[in-house]
Amino acid sequence: MIDPGVPVPRWVLSPRGIARMRALAALPEMASLASIWASTEAKAIEGAGILAARLGLPVHVHPGLGENDRSATGYLPEAEFQQVADAFFAQPETSIRGWERAIDAQSRIAAAITDVLSAAPPGPVAVIAHGGVGALLRAHLSRAPIARSWDQPQPGCRFTAQPGEPPSAWIPLPPA
């Protein structure tokens, strides 16, 4: 839940976010998951916990799965945030207003995914993270330049990926 008085990594899921994660966990295709991973951020751990509780699996946390480091600015009003995010994706080799560079975030995320897949048991893996993480990972998996076009079209989306194949399009989470 967006709360300007709370550091972004400590934001929790909104009631709607909780309901949507419960609906995701109830989807038949989730039953085959072998492991569940999350970033160290509160929303990701909470979302992974909802999925894990439904499936009787533990939540594994990897610090490399965190959103791009935006601590230099902290919370930004939506319009300003979107302008800075546009610049983040458009200039991936530049730190925009002190944010982690997109190329550095992408490298960190790709390495984290390699770690996760190496540590996970055989079978499908769920990674509960953040929109920027997904955008940078989708570009990486597609062997394409970093661009805002890889970002989710709306908050609360997921995608699937198979080894050696480009990722799927974004799939909205089920409605609450």
Side-chain angles (χ1 to χ4, degrees):
M1 188 166 352
I2 296 172
D3 183 345
V6 173
V8 175
R10 293 193 11 224
W11 287 353
V12 297
L13 289 174
S14 67
R16 181 171 183 249
I18 292 168
R20 293 182 80 191
M21 284 304 298
R22 287 180 177 150
L24 175 69
L27 293 177
E29 62 261 35
M30 296 297 118
S32 66
L33 290 175
S35 65
I36 300 170
W37 292 77
S39 80
T40 60
E41 297 185 33
K43 281 193 308 185
I45 293 171
E46 187 178 7
I50 292 167
L51 186 56
R54 171 81 182 214
L55 302 173
L57 294 170
V59 172
H60 304 279
V61 176
H62 193 296
L65 296 171
E67 188 65 281
N68 60 299
D69 182 354
R70 307 186 306 252
S71 58
T73 60
Y75 169 81
L76 295 172
E78 182 65 17
E80 184 179 1
F81 172 80
Q82 293 302 330
Q83 289 176 338
V84 178
D86 285 344
F88 169 82
F89 285 105
Q91 301 170 56
E93 296 183 11
T94 301
S95 172
I96 307 300
R97 293 187 52 188
W99 284 15
E100 178 181 23
R101 298 182 320 159
I103 59 167
D104 297 331
Q106 184 183 56
S107 178
R108 171 180 49 78
I109 292 159
I113 292 297
T114 297
D115 290 349
V116 163
L117 295 176
S118 294
V125 175
V127 174
I128 312 301
H130 314 279
V133 171
L136 294 170
L137 181 58
R138 289 182 75 239
H140 172 77
L141 294 173
S142 298
R143 296 181 176 86
I146 293 170
R148 187 79 192 254
S149 60
W150 292 106
D151 202 2
Q152 58 187 347
Q154 64 197 42
C157 291
R158 66 186 176 103
F159 67 90
T160 61
Q162 298 293 326
E165 295 180 19
S168 74
W170 285 106
I171 305 163
L173 293 182

